[in-house]
């Protein structure tokens, strides 16, 4: 079995601010799945989406409490096409209210940088050249 699409659902305090944040990073919005309670950020057309839902709306999908900003339930990793793109996205995120998650990590064949978004969600942004991956990793 193989999934043909991925929708990650995350709670946010303000959908409009979240929408503005992600468009500044260069991602588009699927308006068909967006309204005043949710915004659908397109990570990869036709396959990977992040649904940012108001905390109240998010609660209609789960009886568990929304995690507070000082907790982590998930770290989302996304791969980009170059180290430069990785740093561009992270630096743009930082300039728009995000905070640095950890220092950049350079493994030679793989590079990652990361941030906490404006709602406290963790994002690891990576570039990997699999052809350079060591035999024993």
């Amino acid at each position: 079995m193989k999934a043909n699409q991925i929708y990650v659902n995350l709670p946010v305090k303000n959908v409009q601010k979240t929408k503005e944040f992600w468009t500044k990073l260069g991602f588009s919005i699927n308006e068909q799945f967006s309204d005043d309670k949710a915004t659908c950020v397109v990570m990869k057309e036709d396959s990977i989406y992040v649904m940012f839902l108001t905390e109240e709306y998010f609660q209609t999908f789960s009886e568990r409490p929304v995690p507070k900003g000082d907790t982590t339930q998930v770290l989302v990793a996304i791969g980009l096409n170059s180290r430069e793109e990785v740093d561009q996205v992270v630096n743009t995120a930082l300039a728009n209210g995000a905070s640095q998650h950890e220092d950049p990590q350079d493994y030679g064949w793989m590079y990652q940088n990361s941030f906490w978004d404006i709602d406290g969600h963790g994002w690891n942004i990576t570039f990997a050249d699999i052809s350079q991956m060591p035999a024993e990793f």
Side-chain angles (χ1 to χ4, degrees), residues 18-115:
T18 299
K19 182 178 181 177
E20 291 167 7
F21 177 83
W22 285 97
T23 56
K24 287 177 183 175
L25 299 187
F27 294 94
S28 64
I29 304 298
N30 180 330
E31 295 294 346
Q32 183 178 5
F33 295 120
S34 300
D35 58 23
D36 61 333
K37 297 182 292 188
T39 191
C40 179
V41 175
V42 180
M43 295 284 165
K44 183 175 181 185
E45 191 67 45
D46 296 323
S47 61
I48 304 171
Y49 306 90
V50 179
M51 295 294 301
F52 292 101
L53 313 171
T54 63
E55 291 180 352
E56 297 79 18
Y57 188 47
F58 185 87
Q59 286 285 190
T60 66
F61 297 97
S62 173
E63 61 204 34
R64 292 184 174 187
V66 172
K68 303 298 178 220
D70 61 349
T71 63
T72 302
Q73 294 221 309
V74 65
L75 292 173
V76 181
I78 59 175
L80 299 179
N81 293 317
S82 70
R83 292 170 184 248
E84 294 78 20
E85 282 186 354
V86 169
D87 284 337
Q88 177 187 358
V89 166
V90 173
N91 291 335
T92 302
L94 297 175
N96 286 283
S99 59
Q100 189 77 46
H101 172 222
E102 60 186 3
D103 291 332
Q105 306 290 314
D106 189 345
Y107 301 99
W109 66 277
M110 182 175 77
Y111 176 75
Q112 77 176 32
N113 201 343
S114 57
F115 63 89

